[in-house]
Structures are given as C-alpha cells and as structure tokens.
Amino acid sequence: MSFSELINQAQDSNAIYLHIVSGTKPRIKTPQGISTLGSAILMPSDVYKLVDECLQPEMKKRLLEGEEVLFCYNHDGDIELRVHIYKQRGTLAISAKLIDAEIMGFKQLGIEDNLYESMMSQKMGLFLTSSERDSGRSTLALSYMQEIARHRSVHIVSLEEVIERRFDENLKGLVSRCQLGVDVIDPQRSIAGFCKTDIQVCNLDSLDDPNDFLTALELASRGILVIGNLIAKDTEALLQKILNLKSVGGDYRNQLADVLGNIVHQKRLSGNDGQDIFVQEHFLNQVATRKHIRENKLQPILAFMRTIGKRGCKSYQQSYDKLVSDGLLSRDKVPSKYKINND
C-alpha cells in the first residue's frame, strides 16, 4: 500500500493523526480515539518504502545522516500532512498530522467584530496567540497574517518550523516564509538581516523557549509587529508564564508592559452539530494594565480582562455564554470553570 493510499483511508475515517510503526498495523487517531487502519502488518521494508515515497532528496540526506526530519507533505492539493520521521527499535517510524491546505479565515474561527477590530488595529509590538495542543494557536497566527496581508501593503517575514497551509493569492502585502533548519540556519542572524532592509511584520512561530520569547520582545521594541505563539491552558496561565520567565532581570517587565498588545487564547470544541467550533479569550494590554505588568500583579490584570464591557477584552466565561445563547453549544459542554450559572 502506498503512502497516498494510507492518507486517503485516514482521511475517509476522519483521522487527525496517522501513525506508522514497523511490526504493527497502521494506526489513526480520531476524535473518538486510536484505532487500526486496515489489516496488513507493516514490516521495516514497507515503512522504508513509504518514507522513500514522501521524502525529498534533501530530507533523505538529513535522515541518512542520523537526523529526525519534520516537514509538510502536500496530498492532492486540499490536504497537507505535518510529517515527523523518527527512529524506534532500530528502524524508521512515521507520525503525521492531517491538516487542511487552505488557511482558515477569521469567519471560520468565529472571530467576533470587536476582537477583529482590536487585532487589526495593532500595528507594532507583541501579538501572542495561545492554546493547548491541537487547538489552533498556529492556525490563528497564520489567519491573522493572511488578514493583515489582505488589507495592508506590508512585508511579512514568517520563520516557521514547518511551512504548511497556503496563503490566498489576492494579497496587498508580501509574505516571505522561511523554514527553520532549511532556509534559516541561524534565526538571530536572519532576523538581523531583515531588520536592516524592509520588514513590518515578523512571525517567530513558537515562543515557548524563554530565549525565543526574549528575542521576540527585543524585536517588538524596534517598532515591528511581532507574532508568536505559546502553549498554555488559558490566558491566566499564559500571563503567569510570561510574567515569571526564568533568568530574567533588569527592565524585563517594563519592556513587556510597553510592547505587549493583544493576547488571544483559543480552544477547539465539538459543537451541537458535531462540527469543530472555536472559542477565544481575549486580553488587550492597555494603560490600566501596564502598571500591573510592571509590578507583576496578575490578579488585577485578570479582573480587568473579565470585566464586561472592557475594550478589547473578553473572558472565556463570556465567550462560552454567547455560544450557549446562540445555540451553538449546549450548557452541559461548558467547563464548570467557565459557567456563569452552575445549574
């Protein structure tokens, strides 16, 4: 069986992940859990053939040199896979995530008008997207970049671990996408080079490493709009994380207070119709919250964000309540932490 045939079967089964390990049947992960795909047990030689089918020559060279490889594989135009090839028990294995090739628009993500206005009004500083795993923080960042490029004549440079999904062709701006480890070997040097030429927006992808976050902070201080994403369970956890980075000193929180703009945290849910829906929590750093950031006072920041009617802010409690009132989500699917009335 070919790699393309396995992808087709995984797609027909509504799979999120496809796992191929020597000595076992292929397995898929769906919203219902993990199950086998077909009845054939794949031997090491079978897996090597599948790897050979999906790898480009440069990636094959890296694999032969002992590296693990991570890349995007395009399948029939409408589906892409984020593929990780690694070694286990002396042979190769494949783990792949199935994703749509097109970047999701703001409407598909359920971005409300007030959130849209706040996001699009930010022209510089630090813009953060966040979620737990597989809830679309990178998707949100790409959607945001596409929306900027649709409406502004700007140069966007995006440094990405894996280049996946494709931008709309009808853009006013220019998007340069560079894959880390392939197009960009030394990110710091590349960023310095772009800053000496023409760049208005820079996406740095994951900022979970404290050093990467500090790089983003420094770049945002130069008047560039810097986009990055972090893993966190909600905005409170994210703020706790960035307010208390390890080994930071000097004027770190002063700098953070000055350049931090929007934080959008997102969760992926199954709606009443069984389709995926997204819900966002939104914090916009303002004059009233900058002082609290400088003084590392988290609770006043959260109280400000959760106050109904604050410009550019919306808590999960408010967002979930709107989904319920709009009939998109039943109240019993709302986590108890975010229920307005625990009835």
Side-chain angles (χ1 to χ4, degrees), residues 250-264:
D251 294 328
Y252 166 71
R253 290 194 188 92
N254 288 332
Q255 190 178 26
L256 179 63
D258 290 338
V259 303
L260 180 62
N262 288 272
I263 294 176
V264 185

Side-chain angles (χ1 to χ4, degrees), residues 118-151:
S118 179
M119 293 170 70
M120 295 304 293
S121 65
Q122 184 171 346
K123 301 294 193 298
M124 61 182 68
L126 190 58
F127 181 101
L128 300 177
T129 68
S130 181
S131 73
E132 297 178 273
R133 293 188 183 279
D134 295 327
S135 287
R137 63 192 179 282
S138 297
T139 298
L140 180 57
L142 287 172
S143 183
Y144 180 47
M145 284 190 285
Q146 177 165 269
E147 198 67 16
I148 291 173
R150 279 175 174 163
H151 298 283

Side-chain angles (χ1 to χ4, degrees), residues 190-210:
S190 294
I191 291 169
F194 281 120
C195 288
K196 291 177 181 177
T197 54
D198 178 39
I199 178 175
Q200 289 77 48
V201 183
C202 184
N203 172 43
L204 294 181
D205 210 351
S206 173
L207 301 180
D208 288 296
D209 184 294

Side-chain angles (χ1 to χ4, degrees), residues 205-317:
D205 210 351
S206 173
L207 301 180
D208 288 296
D209 184 294
N211 291 326
D212 292 336
F213 189 85
L214 294 174
T215 296
L217 202 64
E218 181 61 34
L219 190 59
S221 300
R222 302 183 189 181
I224 295 170
L225 174 55
V226 179
I227 304 166
N229 68 75
L230 296 99
I231 296 174
K233 66 178 181 179
D234 54 23
T235 305
E236 179 178 351
L238 174 61
L239 285 168
Q240 182 84 33
K241 186 175 185 176
I242 64 175
L243 285 171
N244 296 282
L245 278 182
K246 295 179 180 179
S247 303
V248 295
D251 294 328
Y252 166 71
R253 290 194 188 92
N254 288 332
Q255 190 178 26
L256 179 63
D258 290 338
V259 303
L260 180 62
N262 288 272
I263 294 176
V264 185
H265 193 282
Q266 179 169 273
K267 294 182 184 291
R268 185 197 301 263
L269 312 167
S270 179
N272 289 338
D273 59 359
Q275 299 297 311
D276 283 348
I277 57 174
F278 295 89
V279 58
Q280 290 90 20
E281 184 170 57
H282 184 212
F283 169 71
L284 174 62
N285 188 27
Q286 301 172 43
V287 174
T289 53
R290 289 185 187 122
K291 178 182 177 181
H292 301 315
I293 291 175
R294 291 188 178 98
E295 297 174 352
N296 194 16
K297 293 182 178 179
L298 177 61
Q299 292 308 314
I301 298 172
L302 297 175
F304 182 91
M305 180 185 74
R306 292 166 180 165
T307 301
I308 295 175
K310 292 294 185 183
R311 181 180 67 88
C313 295
K314 191 170 187 178
S315 68
Y316 269 133
Q317 192 178 48

